[in-house]
Amino acid sequence: MSKSQISNQIRKLRFEHNEMTQQELADKVRVSRQTIVAIEKGNYSPSLELAFKIAHAFNVPLESVFSFDSTES
Amino acid sequence: MSFPERKNTVYLIGNIAVSIAYFMYIAQQYMALGPAPTNDFRFWGSALLIFIPVQVVTRVIIHIIFSIINTIITQEEEPDVIDEFDKIIESKSTLIFYHVFVIGFFLSIATVFLDMPPFVMIVMFLLTAIIAGIVGDIARIIFYRRGV
């Protein structure tokens, strides 16, 4: 499984939000902790809906959480 | 190892153990019929039909036992959320299961074309179901570990 071209700042944002745990974020966006772990590691690119939910959980715009690296292709 | 990885590993081990035990039981029963059994098709037909509920019941029992033991050991409850990640993994591993099953199905049909005895086709068919199930379980574990 190759790494996705989509990178994310979830770990950093969790740290900045009172060291929010993966489980707390998972509960906020109604997914399992396993899914948050996979997204954080770049092993899974979430759907647009979930991406927006994660951005909303941190109260930041989508592009502050996810970025697309077009140079890797 | 995460909860889904643990769960699917236990399913895989259970699947292999039950399949081997069932296959050995069926082989013993077949040997007991004698060197040239007259009701070959009836025997293998019932063996295939019984295998499906055996697998379903086994999976339910393994699930219950795993849930109890896992909760006792890890104090972690089974996640009640089935999200998009779980669904995509389920869908991809099911697709792999079907691919393996279809290949095995055509190989078992090919044995008839090659004039092999009918029991070879049915044994191949039974093995195909077992192997496809195992491959599907392995795919699920790999997807949970490496992502999709």
Side-chain angles (χ1 to χ4, degrees):
Chain A
M1 256 49 64
S2 61
K3 284 268 176 185
S4 157
Q5 283 177 266
I6 298 170
S7 57
N8 68 79
Q9 301 294 319
I10 295 177
R11 202 187 182 111
K12 184 175 154 241
L13 285 163
R14 281 198 301 109
F15 187 76
E16 287 171 0
H17 283 72
N18 295 325
E19 294 183 26
M20 184 192 286
T21 63
Q22 289 171 330
Q23 187 61 60
E24 283 168 347
L25 177 60
D27 292 341
K28 275 191 173 191
V29 297
R30 289 171 176 271
V31 294
S32 65
R33 193 182 72 85
Q34 183 65 28
T35 303
I36 298 296
V37 172
I39 296 170
E40 245 187 47
K41 283 184 181 172
N43 288 340
Y44 172 60
S45 298
S47 67
L48 200 53
E49 188 184 344
L50 180 54
F52 270 111
K53 279 183 183 172
I54 292 169
H56 187 73
F58 291 124
N59 220 6
V60 293
L62 187 64
E63 56 269 28
S64 301
V65 187
F66 297 98
S67 53
F68 180 72
D69 185 7
S70 56
T71 55
E72 269 185 41
S73 61
Chain B
M1 199 183 255
S2 66
F3 179 84
E5 285 173 50
R6 270 199 307 273
K7 187 173 86 175
N8 284 298
T9 306
V10 171
Y11 280 173
L12 173 67
I13 294 165
N15 193 1
I16 293 171
V18 169
S19 299
I20 290 171
Y22 186 76
F23 206 78
M24 283 171 73
Y25 169 76
I26 290 298
Q28 263 181 352
Q29 295 287 309
Y30 187 71
M31 302 284 189
L33 288 178
T38 48
N39 51 356
D40 226 15
F41 271 118
R42 194 168 183 274
F43 174 82
W44 288 111
S46 66
L48 271 175
L49 278 178
I50 294 168
F51 185 57
I52 299 163
V54 163
Q55 281 226 313
V56 172
V57 171
T58 307
R59 193 152 271 222
V60 171
I61 293 169
I62 290 171
H63 179 81
I64 294 167
I65 294 170
F66 169 75
S67 297
I68 294 167
I69 293 173
N70 184 65
T71 310
I72 292 168
I73 293 173
T74 64
Q75 303 292 319
E76 178 191 359
E77 274 184 39
E78 185 176 347
D80 52 355
V81 187
I82 295 169
D83 56 33
E84 58 181 52
F85 187 55
D86 298 312
K87 283 178 190 166
I88 207 161
I89 286 175
E90 192 54 44
S91 137
K92 282 195 173 192
S93 53
T94 305
L95 192 67
I96 290 170
F97 167 86
Y98 283 138
H99 283 163
V100 176
F101 190 81
V102 165
I103 292 167
F105 177 78
F106 281 111
L107 283 176
S108 54
I109 297 294
T111 60
V112 179
F113 177 74
L114 294 170
D115 267 345
M116 288 180 178
F119 89 91
V120 176
M121 181 196 79
I122 296 168
V123 168
M124 279 276 289
F125 197 68
L126 199 61
L127 278 175
T128 294
I130 294 168
I131 292 167
I134 291 169
V135 171
D137 283 341
I138 291 172
R140 211 170 286 123
I141 295 166
I142 291 172
F143 286 139
Y144 271 114
R145 186 156 278 243
R146 296 193 186 167
V148 285

